[in-house]
Amino acid sequence: MKHRKTVIVGNWKMNTDVQSGINLAKQILDLSNNITNVEKIICPPFVSLTSIAKVLKGSSIQLGAQNVNPNENGAFTGEVSTAMLHGLVSHVVIGHSERRMFNDESSDQVAAKAVSLSKAGMNPILCVGEDLSIRKSGKAVNFIAKQLEASLKGFSNWNSLIIAYEPIWAIGTGEAATSAQAQEMAAVCRNIICNLTPDLGNSVRVLYGGSVNSKNVAKLLEQPDIDGALVGGASLNAQEFSNLIKLASSK
Ligand code: PEP
């Protein structure tokens, strides 16, 4: 029995418009609000956050954003700051491989986001992951250790942190990592955290992400260092996402 509470995060990415997002949030709420031994977080696009916050108010489902700009305010066209998200969301996904890839985000920038969120009292969901060529070259362990350390530079609010190990080759491909592969890398992440904060390292939740669905979630969650899942595609289907939450609740 793990002492860390299981957490299931739905990352909607750039999907849903405001109305379909409200509908999806209502369906997820209907199907899973009564499951309280799992922490549930949904991360819709920015434009939907205000409306979905109203849907989730007073419920057991928390709201997250998919990105943040660490600067307080100013000339950053198109960006959203921590202050703007404050009071609206409890969690923010940072360092997702799609942002590292398509927006050239560096681990230094991810670390600045983590620090800015923790100053504002919000919880970072910090993603790390290697691509297929790194995996094939046998250097994944080293790469993840370095990426995680670099993405946590200057960060110290360990109680607020959730880590998501998301191998790029498993995201959106339908080919999840095996539970052994996911466990190995979750343990690498935990070791890094335990080195940085010996007292609190074992309380930090480490999630796995990459083609998680209701068929593979149970096996992944059986692993000693995997405390939940970051779910992309399967979080856009209320029934599938709620099934996944139910399976997580019986672990
Ligand atoms: C993700 O968006 O972080 C993700 C893991 O996507 P998917 O579940 O679709 O692979």
Side-chain angles (χ1 to χ4, degrees):
M1 177 84 182
K2 287 176 207 161
H3 62 282
R4 299 175 293 264
K5 189 169 183 178
T6 303
V7 50
I8 302 289
V9 184
N11 172 18
W12 293 5
K13 312 196 190 197
M14 199 172 71
N15 295 296
T16 68
D17 57 23
V18 174
Q19 192 52 53
S20 61
I22 291 172
N23 296 344
L24 178 57
K26 280 184 177 161
Q27 288 165 3
I28 294 172
L29 195 57
D30 275 352
L31 293 166
S32 68
N33 191 31
N34 60 350
I35 300 175
T36 50
N37 64 342
V38 173
E39 206 172 316
K40 303 159 297 217
I41 305 160
I42 55 175
C43 305
F46 280 132
V47 291
S48 295
L49 290 176
T50 313
S51 331
I52 294 181
K54 288 184 191 136
V55 173
L56 298 184
K57 196 161 188 250
S59 80
S60 67
I61 301 182
Q62 301 172 84
L63 189 60
Q66 298 175 20
N67 183 34
V68 69
N69 184 299
N71 294 288
E72 241 166 70
N73 51 38
F76 300 100
T77 302
E79 293 292 288
V80 173
S81 72
T82 328
M84 293 170 188
L85 294 176
H86 190 250
L88 187 57
V89 305
S90 51
H91 294 74
V92 180
V93 174
I94 55 172
H96 193 283
S97 59
E98 287 153 14
R99 294 205 60 85
R100 291 184 191 259
M101 233 177 337
F102 304 134
N103 301 76
D104 278 337
E105 275 186 18
S106 67
S107 290
D108 272 355
Q109 287 170 313
V110 176
K113 292 173 192 221
V115 170
S116 138
L117 287 172
S118 92
K119 277 190 191 144
M122 284 181 273
N123 306 297
I125 301 171
L126 168 53
C127 306
V128 290
E130 82 285 357
D131 67 18
L132 193 56
S133 66
I134 295 171
R135 161 82 26 188
K136 281 189 170 159
S137 71
K139 293 185 178 138
V141 168
N142 200 24
F143 176 88
I144 290 300
K146 285 217 170 84
Q147 192 181 52
L148 183 56
E149 273 171 352
S151 302
L152 284 169
K153 204 160 68 188
F155 182 84
S156 58
N157 192 357
W158 306 109
N159 286 326
S160 73
L161 180 65
I162 296 176
I163 294 170
Y165 166 63
E166 297 209 305
I168 295 170
W169 45 271
I171 296 181
T173 60
E175 290 286 326
T178 63
S179 44
Q181 287 170 324
Q183 162 57 28
E184 182 193 17
M185 301 308 281
V188 168
C189 294
R190 188 171 310 289
N191 274 341
I192 297 288
I193 301 298
C194 285
N195 285 338
L196 292 168
T197 174
D199 291 348
L200 296 173
N202 276 319
S203 342
V204 171
R205 265 98 47 98
V206 180
L207 316 184
Y208 166 78
S211 296
V212 175
N213 56 40
S214 60
K215 293 194 183 72
N216 57 25
V217 70
K219 195 124 194 273
L220 287 160
L221 294 183
E222 273 167 16
Q223 306 307 308
D225 285 295
I226 301 179
D227 306 313
L230 177 47
V231 185
S235 72
L236 293 168
N237 178 315
Q239 190 66 59
E240 170 69 0
F241 190 57
S242 307
N243 286 346
L244 205 150
I245 292 168
K246 265 191 208 109
L247 288 160
S249 83
S250 58
K251 281 281 113 203

